[in-house]
Amino acid sequence: MIQNWEDLISSTDKLREHYSKIPPLAQVTLRSIHLSRYGPTIILRLDLPTFPDRPHPEWTDQGCDRLQCHVRFLAVEDFSMRRWEPPVVADVQMKHLEKRRIEVDILSSQTNLSFTSSDSLTVGRISAFRAPDSGLDQEKHHYVGRMDRLKYDSVPPPK
């Protein structure tokens, strides 16, 4: 089992800017799963389990309590999914395979998702928001990326 998923991230700078220690993918809120039509790619949109210890001042001023990001898996194979009953709170478990590949399992009472992919992950579309009591993420998001800030102030609709 892979204990430290940050070792798989191609560039940790985006998360290290906000966290002195990047949290594990345990008890994340999985918001969406995007199966890319441009290739065997999966993007998980998820809330990390802890809020950053080095948040942007704007996030603190706005009362944000969640950090959301996209985690991209490339060269995906062996995809299997059963159930999708959001909100999904789950552990993302990964283990090394041969030839620089990993096996990914996301198991909870709300979903059962598994696939294999390249062992190089990218993290993007980082945002912070204040989660309402309903747990939904349709509130105002404060994006890190310049283009995302210009284009969005909430989660964009699926393509």
Side-chain angles (χ1 to χ4, degrees):
M1 200 64 58
I2 296 171
Q3 298 300 320
N4 194 358
W5 74 288
E6 81 177 89
D7 294 339
L8 303 176
I9 303 171
S10 59
S11 175
T12 59
D13 297 349
K14 292 177 182 177
L15 287 176
R16 286 230 169 266
E17 179 182 336
H18 311 292
Y19 288 100
S20 54
K21 182 173 171 37
I22 296 173
L25 294 179
Q27 294 299 292
V28 300
T29 302
L30 181 59
R31 300 290 183 173
S32 67
I33 302 163
H34 177 78
L35 306 174
S36 175
R37 63 182 170 196
Y38 299 113
T41 301
I42 290 178
I43 301 170
L44 302 180
R45 181 169 57 95
L46 48 84
D47 300 350
L48 293 182
T50 58
F51 193 67
D53 56 339
R54 296 188 293 227
H56 284 280
E58 171 191 13
W59 298 353
T60 306
D61 294 345
Q62 296 297 318
C64 296
D65 59 3
R66 301 280 175 98
L67 185 125
Q68 188 173 102
C69 65
H70 289 194
V71 180
R72 181 183 310 257
F73 296 84
L74 302 172
V76 171
E77 295 177 343
D78 308 313
F79 177 83
S80 171
M81 182 174 170
R82 291 188 199 108
R83 287 190 314 283
W84 178 252
E85 300 171 17
V88 173
V89 176
D91 295 340
V92 179
Q93 299 176 347
M94 295 179 258
K95 70 178 181 180
H96 286 287
L97 300 175
E98 296 177 340
K99 301 180 182 178
R100 299 202 56 211
R101 295 195 53 80
I102 57 173
E103 180 180 321
V104 180
D105 290 304
I106 302 170
L107 305 172
S108 76
S109 60
Q110 299 95 3
T111 195
N112 183 341
L113 172 66
S114 65
F115 56 90
T116 61
S117 79
S118 158
D119 68 354
S120 180
L121 310 179
T122 57
V123 174
R125 198 160 277 163
I126 297 171
S127 66
F129 68 102
R130 180 179 179 88
D133 292 338
S134 67
L136 299 175
D137 70 337
Q138 297 169 337
E139 302 298 315
K140 179 174 177 58
H141 278 241
H142 304 274
Y143 286 92
V144 171
R146 184 174 164 216
M147 289 304 293
D148 289 335
R149 279 195 314 268
L150 292 172
K151 291 172 68 175
Y152 310 114
D153 65 357
S154 62
V155 176
K159 292 181 181 182

